[in-house]
Every structure is written in structure tokens, then in C-alpha cells.
Amino acid sequence: MVKLRLKRCGRKQRAIYRIVAIDVRSRREGRALRKVGFYDPIKNQTYLNVPVILYFLEKGAQPTGTVHDISKKAGVFMELRFNHTNQNSINEI
């Protein structure tokens, strides 16, 4: 199973996090399948590669709590819902 979770980077007391798609059995610093964004809690900056995140969510990836909150603030789930409703309306035609 794939999860979207945070991977710690940066130096001591100045942590930044990469948001990665990673296998559940891997450790926090393990090899990621794909980097999908980053989060800097000190500067409160976020960058998300939304198309890649949507791809992994559609394939069944589960975001952790923190990644879910970050994605929710960025509106990723609204876009996922919008894409899903568009897909259904196209299939009905």
C-alpha cells in the first residue's frame, strides 16, 4: 500500500519536510516512490504537485493526517471531487 507522508530534511532545529509517495513498510527516511511537494513549517510555505497527488489518490494512496491537512488547505480534495464528477458526467454521455 502507498502512503503520502512527510520525509524530514534540513538541519537540526530547522526542519523542512518533503511530501512523498512511499510504500507503507518503508521507514520515514526510506526511498520514496515519488516526491510530490514540500512543506516548511517555519516559513509556513507549501508547494504541492497537484496532478501527481491526484494520480496517487486515485490509485488508492492514503495520506497521513498532516499531509491530509496540508492538502485540504491547498484545495486538493476539492479538485479531486471536481475531477471525479467530471469523469462521471463524461461516462454518462
Side-chain angles (χ1 to χ4, degrees):
M1 183 174 160
V2 176
K3 277 202 174 236
L4 298 175
R5 67 183 185 200
L6 298 175
K7 184 176 183 179
R8 192 176 197 275
C9 301
R11 62 179 199 250
K12 192 167 39 170
Q13 301 295 320
R14 298 282 298 167
I16 62 170
Y17 298 92
R18 285 191 179 135
I19 301 170
V20 296
I22 194 166
D23 187 37
V24 173
R25 296 166 291 188
S26 297
R27 56 197 174 103
R28 182 183 72 179
E29 307 303 328
R31 184 169 177 194
L33 298 173
R34 181 104 188 243
K35 297 172 193 161
V36 297
F38 82 89
Y39 171 61
D40 186 352
I42 296 169
K43 295 180 182 176
N44 202 18
Q45 292 180 336
T46 306
Y47 168 76
L48 300 173
N49 190 345
V50 177
V52 176
I53 292 173
L54 292 175
Y55 169 79
F56 279 109
L57 289 174
E58 288 170 357
K59 295 294 180 183
Q62 296 294 313
T64 60
T66 307
V67 173
H68 182 272
D69 293 343
I70 292 168
S71 302
K72 190 174 179 182
K73 284 181 186 176
V76 171
F77 294 108
M78 293 298 289
E79 208 163 315
L80 179 66
R81 187 177 304 136
F82 179 73
N83 285 346
H84 188 66
T85 56
N86 269 349
Q87 199 70 291
N88 287 342
S89 62
I90 292 171
N91 289 339
E92 291 173 0
I93 296 175

